[in-house]
Amino acid sequence: MAVVDELERRGLQCWIAPRNVRPGRPYDDEIVKAIEGSEALLLIFSERCNDSEYIRREVTVAGESQKVIIPFRIENAQPRRGLRVRLSDLHWLDAFASQDKAIQELVGIFPAAKDEAAAVAAGLAVA
């Protein structure tokens, strides 16, 4: 995933499934553990997210865990159904207009990333 590669190049540690799920471990347990152990949930949002029950569950877990949820749109898509309720009052980063600008803004949110302290759990539903 190009966005994750660029974030990591700029010093943000990202956790994504399936790359970071340990062999033999259940995906759901590993995802919850990653969200709870992260500073924020980065939701790389596209139209496909609206159809993903997993994305809705990950956003719910992040909210219940009092995590910052950062919606990062890679295409001009709007949340629907349950995601509309869960994400409606959040500030979105729109990368479909300028990905570099959106990534720079995101990296600026986590100044500790330069000191290896910040971790972002990326809930990705992008093909």
Side-chain angles (χ1 to χ4, degrees), residues 27-97:
Y27 273 85
D28 54 353
D29 289 346
E30 293 290 296
I31 290 169
V32 169
K33 185 176 172 182
I35 291 170
E36 290 176 345
S38 294
E39 194 168 327
L41 174 76
L42 174 65
L43 174 59
I44 299 180
F45 193 85
S46 70
E47 185 62 41
R48 296 183 71 182
C49 291
N50 284 313
D51 298 323
S52 173
E53 182 61 34
Y54 285 103
I55 292 296
R56 288 197 296 274
R57 290 176 189 167
E58 290 170 12
V59 168
T60 297
V61 168
E64 289 172 349
S65 300
Q66 303 296 307
K67 299 298 175 177
V68 173
I69 300 169
I70 304 168
F72 187 94
R73 287 195 299 180
I74 59 172
E75 60 185 47
N76 193 5
Q78 297 296 321
R80 292 180 309 198
R81 297 186 305 277
L83 284 177
R84 184 173 166 207
V85 172
R86 293 175 181 134
L87 303 175
S88 66
D89 63 343
L90 300 178
H91 173 75
W92 288 67
L93 293 175
D94 288 331
F96 61 88

